[in-house]
Amino acid sequence: MATKRKPPTKTKRKPSRPARVAKSHSRDTDAAASELEETAPAPSAALFPIVGIGASAGGLEALEQFLARVPDRCGAAFVIVQHLDPTHQGMLVELLQRVTSLRVREAADGTRVEPDRVYVIPPGKDMSLLHGTLHLLPLPVARSRVMPIDFFLRSLAQDQGDRSIGVILSGMGTDGTLGLRAVKEAAGATFVQAPESAKFDSMPRSAIDGGLADVVAPVEELPNRILSYRDHLGGVDHSSRGASDIDKICVVLREYSGNDFSVYKRSTVCRRIERRMGLHQIRTYGEYLRYLRENTRELELLFQELLIGVTSFFRDPSEWERLRQDVLPGVVSSRASIGMVRAWVAGCSTGEEAYSLAILFREALEPLRSHKTISVQIFATDLDRESIEVARAGLYPENIAADVSPERLRRFFVHEDRGYRVAKDIRETVIFAPQNMIMDPPFTKVDVLTCRNLLIYLSPEIQRKLIPLFHYCLNPGGVLFLGTAETVGTQTSLFSPLDGKTRIFKRLPPAVGTPQVELQFSNLGRRMVGRDDRDDAPPAPRHSSHNMQVLVERLLVQRFAPLGVLCTPKGDILYTSGRAGKYFEPAVGKANFNVFAMARDGLRRELAVAFSKALAHDRPIVLQDVRVGSEGHTQFVQITVQKLVEPKELAG
């Protein structure tokens, strides 16, 4: 959360210099990796921020309070989207003009957005932004799909990229939540009225509960916070972006989370860091590094910032329709004799794409007479445990009606007070699990593998290693589904696109004489070697099982009773003494005897941090009062992690 500042006085403010900006893209600007293709739209000519404001019930009062605190010649444009009765001519323009010196006008089709202006959506219209120009569209026929705030904020994020700013004020319902997510995905900034100051708090609370609010403040404070963010973001000292400080920030993040963000594309990491610096009005990387080390909460926020999931139901509808019509029927027919179809959704975020795939499988199976004898098993994984919990619940805001057809909402969802919940029979086909795709073992022998809008954030080196891994995981004739900005790069001997435009690829058989694929990830990662039997069990110890048992039992009883686990430096379990079920459980999918994959809720992150420290030092690392969840109960435990140097037979 940005530091508090006093509300501005109503004195006139000199024109602000426009922030230094990057070209705007329709997708994340980091997508132009050397291994990937992206076609970006023409950049917007506007060099000033365009602020999208959503309001509904109680919104007039909030809008008046907001605009009354915006100084004239502020150097920004404000586009207001409020729920208006389409049968009545609105008086909103006249009412708002009374409280601000900025020019307020009703948006017309083709209006070019200019600074120091306020634009109001007309009744009975949807509105979007393209290259800095407003376009009006008719409302959808189905009332459940009328979400004008989401519609505009999504177009704002696509058009303005990391310069986009979204604001949610008083209102009922959840409109605006998915729009703010799009702004966050584009590395823009989001501001939400404090619920206690809103006449109707449903819209602000929906955005806050979704973790989508960068700043939560009373409405009269928001204009100053927005303009301060704009000024300080443009004032970030890019010359302070030394490799050393960035690496140090990655080290701090790894100590906190156990995840190595140095494998992410450097431009992605820098852009996300600089967004947080702008929110806190910090100019240099060195200052931000010090701030991180002093504020655990900011560490958590930066960690979540780097995990923002780019997802929605049936994202890129034409590609999903291609998958439904041309791909999945052949997949399920080919697996009918086996009676099982398996899929892996890597980087599933909050689960929308995993459930989208489950729905398409259900639709593909229905025409088959034998569909009841074919089971579908979808493994969906993500680095972010909080996202996994959201996905498991399967409850989404009513806004998803903009992305899911009325027929699918009726068949595959249950309408509840808080939104739409995925039907139980669809939820039961998807198994969600936390996973670091770069470090943890993959799911194998799958027929469909989707990894959408994740590769664009990873370094070219990691991209080159993941494509052969995907080939290894798929069954012969399996299908790889990537995001619209992603390709298999130069590795065309492994995959072939269905046609020249699609991002759906078919697995090719390995060429005769092709050497076994060996993948080596980061130094924290697990080495995976392709073998015909796909056996991922840890290597056998060098000593006989009898000698090993004697040595381990003696050591564990002396030092670590009642429970001890002996493992390799990579976490692969070699021996367990005591009952481990309260602390470790088998991971979903193929057997994986690794402490990080098997650790229960609350234990994995702490264990990873202690493990990393123990490898770097020749002393025991002790953690007190670690909270571990098991079968609905919670307990507090002490963990000791120690690198073994004696007896010499167990060294290492």
Side-chain angles (χ1 to χ4, degrees):
M1 193 70 66
T3 54
K4 290 187 176 180
R5 293 171 61 88
K6 294 181 179 180
T9 61
K10 299 185 79 171
T11 55
K12 290 188 176 181
R13 173 171 171 160
K14 294 182 180 180
S16 301
R17 295 179 63 186
R20 286 178 284 177
V21 298
K23 294 180 179 180
S24 78
H25 293 263
S26 64
R27 291 180 292 274
D28 196 301
T29 53
D30 293 319
S34 59
E35 294 289 307
L36 304 171
E37 297 177 355
E38 177 180 55
T39 302
S44 170
L47 297 178
F48 53 88
I50 299 176
V51 182
I53 304 175
S56 182
L60 175 58
E61 179 181 332
L63 288 167
E64 289 177 335
Q65 293 174 326
F66 182 96
L67 291 177
R69 308 297 291 225
V70 177
D72 58 345
R73 299 181 63 81
C74 62
F78 301 87
V79 181
I80 295 173
V81 182
Q82 186 175 19
H83 291 178
L84 301 170
D85 187 339
T87 63
H88 292 81
Q89 184 64 34
M91 296 292 293
L92 191 57
V93 171
E94 291 80 358
L95 295 173
L96 295 180
Q97 189 65 80
R98 297 184 306 181
V99 300
T100 180
S101 59
L102 301 178
R103 181 184 174 188
V104 183
R105 59 176 293 191
E106 187 176 88
D109 193 36
T111 299
R112 184 74 182 175
V113 178
E114 298 178 0
D116 304 322
R117 300 284 192 275
V118 179
Y119 302 90
V120 178
I121 188 173
K125 297 290 184 182
D126 263 340
M127 184 165 62
S128 68
L129 185 72
L130 180 65
H131 306 330
T133 297
L134 296 172
H135 297 273
L136 303 181
L137 299 93
L139 290 174
V141 175
R143 294 297 300 167
S144 63
R145 299 170 72 87
V146 177
M147 298 288 175
I149 300 172
D150 281 332
F151 190 82
F152 178 75
L153 290 180
R154 282 178 163 182
S155 72
L156 173 68
Q158 290 172 341
D159 195 66
Q160 299 294 300
D162 56 4
R163 285 184 290 136
S164 55
I165 296 175
V167 180
I168 294 297
L169 304 180
S170 174
M172 298 178 66
T174 61
D175 194 8
T177 298
L178 298 185
L180 286 194
R181 169 178 276 191
V183 171
K184 292 270 284 186
E185 290 169 358
T190 58
F191 298 78
V192 176
Q193 180 179 3
E196 58 271 17
S197 72
K199 186 171 286 188
F200 295 89
D201 65 1
S202 296
M203 277 172 39
R205 287 197 182 278
S206 177
I208 295 168
D209 292 345
L212 301 172
D214 290 320
V215 174
V216 179
V219 65
E220 60 270 16
E221 294 183 17
L222 290 178
N224 186 57
R225 301 288 284 272
I226 291 168
L227 295 175
S228 295
Y229 164 76
R230 184 272 312 269
D231 293 342
H232 284 80
L233 185 64
V236 169
D237 182 6
H238 297 280
S239 66
S240 72
R241 190 197 284 179
S244 176
D245 280 337
I246 297 171
D247 288 340
K248 289 175 183 176
I249 290 174
C250 289
V251 168
V252 173
L253 281 169
R254 190 180 70 186
E255 288 291 310
Y256 168 76
S257 69
N259 297 296
D260 185 6
F261 286 98
S262 66
V263 300
Y264 276 46
K265 196 179 304 175
R266 186 56 60 98
S267 60
T268 296
V269 175
C270 290
R271 205 154 57 86
R272 298 289 179 175
I273 290 173
E274 289 174 7
R275 202 186 77 87
R276 297 299 309 171
M277 291 168 64
L279 288 168
H280 291 292
Q281 302 172 19
I282 295 174
R283 286 181 51 83
T284 69
Y285 272 71
E287 292 176 46
Y288 185 67
L289 176 60
R290 287 193 292 273
Y291 185 74
L292 271 183
R293 302 207 68 189
E294 296 168 1
N295 294 273
T296 304
R297 174 60 178 163
E298 179 61 20
L299 256 177
E300 179 182 346
L301 290 173
L302 179 59
F303 175 64
Q304 293 297 326
E305 180 87 12
L306 291 165
L307 296 180
I308 286 293
V310 182
T311 187
S312 62
F313 282 98
F314 303 103
R315 183 183 178 94
D316 307 315
S318 61
E319 290 291 277
W320 284 95
E321 184 62 18
R322 181 73 183 276
L323 192 70
R324 185 185 74 86
Q325 288 189 348
D326 301 340
V327 177
L328 295 189
V331 170
V332 297
S333 295
S334 67
R335 308 301 288 177
S337 60
I338 300 175
M340 168 71 75
V341 179
R342 288 164 51 98
W344 177 24
V345 180
C348 67
S349 188
T350 46
E352 287 91 333
E353 291 195 343
Y355 288 129
S356 297
L357 184 61
I359 289 171
L360 291 197
F361 267 123
R362 176 63 56 83
E363 293 175 343
L365 283 168
E366 286 173 347
L368 301 179
R369 291 184 178 180
S370 58
H371 73 275
K372 292 184 179 180
T373 64
I374 302 175
S375 62
V376 175
Q377 194 174 52
I378 299 175
F379 305 104
T381 63
D382 197 89
L383 187 64
D384 185 2
R385 286 179 171 269
E386 292 183 8
S387 293
I388 288 294
E389 292 305 315
V390 172
R392 284 173 176 160
L395 180 63
Y396 300 95
E398 293 190 354
N399 316 39
I400 66 170
D403 300 316
V404 183
S405 69
E407 174 66 13
R408 283 174 173 159
L409 281 176
R410 182 186 64 81
R411 295 186 58 202
F412 304 116
F413 294 82
V414 178
H415 190 251
E416 299 182 1
D417 291 340
R418 296 167 54 200
Y420 289 100
R421 191 181 299 275
V422 179
K424 183 179 179 181
D425 59 333
I426 295 295
R427 293 203 314 271
E428 288 176 346
T429 65
V430 187
I431 301 171
F432 292 98
Q435 184 202 42
N436 185 326
M437 189 172 65
I438 298 171
M439 294 172 59
D440 297 336
F443 291 89
T444 59
K445 297 183 179 179
V446 297
D447 304 294
V448 176
L449 197 164
T450 77
C451 181
R452 311 193 71 238
N453 306 297
L454 174 60
L455 295 181
I456 57 176
Y457 299 108
L458 302 176
S459 68
E461 178 187 2
I462 296 299
Q463 293 170 24
R464 285 192 293 268
K465 291 180 177 180
L466 284 176
I467 297 302
L469 175 67
F470 294 162
H471 184 271
Y472 165 73
C473 293
L474 283 164
N475 284 322
V479 174
L480 173 65
F481 188 18
L482 300 180
T484 55
E486 300 167 331
T487 74
V488 296
T490 59
Q491 303 185 69
T492 55
S493 63
L494 301 179
F495 291 96
S496 174
L498 295 189
D499 61 33
K501 297 180 180 179
T502 186
R503 290 298 179 259
I504 302 174
F505 300 84
K506 187 173 182 179
R507 181 189 189 272
L508 298 175
V512 177
T514 300
Q516 295 278 11
V517 175
E518 181 174 301
L519 300 174
Q520 178 70 52
F521 293 103
S522 68
N523 57 356
L524 293 178
R526 179 172 187 218
R527 186 178 184 183
M528 301 201 60
V529 181
R531 298 183 300 275
D532 291 338
D533 60 359
R534 303 191 181 188
D535 178 11
D536 293 322
R542 291 172 295 176
H543 308 287
S544 71
S545 59
H546 176 74
N547 291 337
M548 174 69 76
Q549 181 174 345
V550 172
L551 292 168
V552 170
E553 289 181 346
R554 183 187 304 162
L555 176 73
L556 295 181
V557 170
Q558 288 176 349
R559 298 189 190 177
F560 303 118
L563 172 66
V565 177
L566 183 75
C567 56
T568 71
K570 295 178 181 178
D572 294 325
I573 296 174
L574 300 176
Y575 193 88
T576 302
S577 173
R579 301 184 65 179
K582 291 193 295 183
Y583 313 102
F584 301 93
E585 62 181 344
V588 174
K590 188 176 178 65
N592 177 16
F593 298 100
N594 183 280
V595 291
F596 305 117
M598 297 177 66
R600 286 189 178 271
D601 290 344
L603 178 60
R604 186 178 187 184
R605 180 178 294 180
E606 300 288 349
L607 183 61
V609 172
F611 204 91
S612 178
K613 290 181 179 179
L615 287 175
H617 303 90
D618 290 328
R619 59 180 175 81
I621 304 298
V622 181
L623 302 179
Q624 301 284 355
D625 294 329
V626 178
R627 184 175 180 174
V628 182
S630 173
E631 300 177 351
H633 303 287
T634 299
Q635 59 181 327
F636 292 86
V637 302
Q638 173 183 298
I639 304 172
T640 301
V641 183
Q642 182 174 0
K643 183 170 66 175
L644 299 184
V645 294
E646 59 179 10
K648 64 180 181 179
E649 292 88 348
L650 295 179

